[in-house]
């Protein structure tokens, strides 16, 4: 079922988000053990936008599935 794929799919999305936001937001030269204010803000914005996009794509795919089910595909 689709629910059986959920944990694996979630881990894939989460891993991509972590990699992408780390690459974008975190300074390559670790100067401190904690995130600075700019990095923290960037990570917050990046993760929020990522999950917002995942939600939009999920809605679009759900609508496409519903349309296909109505047409009998």
């Amino acid at each position: 079922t689709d629910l059986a794929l959920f944990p694996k799919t979630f881990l894939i999305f989460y891993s991509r988000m972590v990699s992408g936001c780390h690459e974008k937001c975190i300074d390559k030269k670790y100067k401190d053990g904690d995130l600075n204010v700019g990095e923290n803000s960037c990570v917050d914005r990046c993760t929020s936008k990522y999950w917002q996009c995942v939600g939009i794509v999920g809605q679009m795919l759900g609508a496409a599935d519903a349309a296909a089910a109505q047409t009998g595909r």
Side-chain angles (χ1 to χ4, degrees):
T1 66
D2 290 339
L3 290 178
L5 297 175
F6 179 76
K8 184 177 180 178
T9 304
F10 179 80
L11 287 175
I12 291 168
F13 284 133
Y14 183 79
S15 178
R16 288 180 182 167
M17 178 192 66
V18 169
S19 296
C21 292
H22 183 271
E23 180 71 26
K24 179 180 178 181
C25 298
I26 308 300
D27 190 4
K28 306 301 180 261
K29 300 174 188 169
Y30 295 110
K31 301 173 190 167
D32 194 4
D34 296 324
L35 297 176
N36 64 39
V37 174
E39 291 170 334
N40 198 32
S41 295
C42 182
V43 168
D44 283 345
R45 284 191 310 274
C46 182
T47 55
S48 176
K49 287 178 182 179
Y50 186 88
W51 287 117
Q52 197 172 30
C53 289
V54 167
I56 291 168
V57 170
Q59 289 175 350
M60 292 172 71
L61 290 174
D65 285 347
Q70 285 183 343
T71 61
R73 291 186 183 176

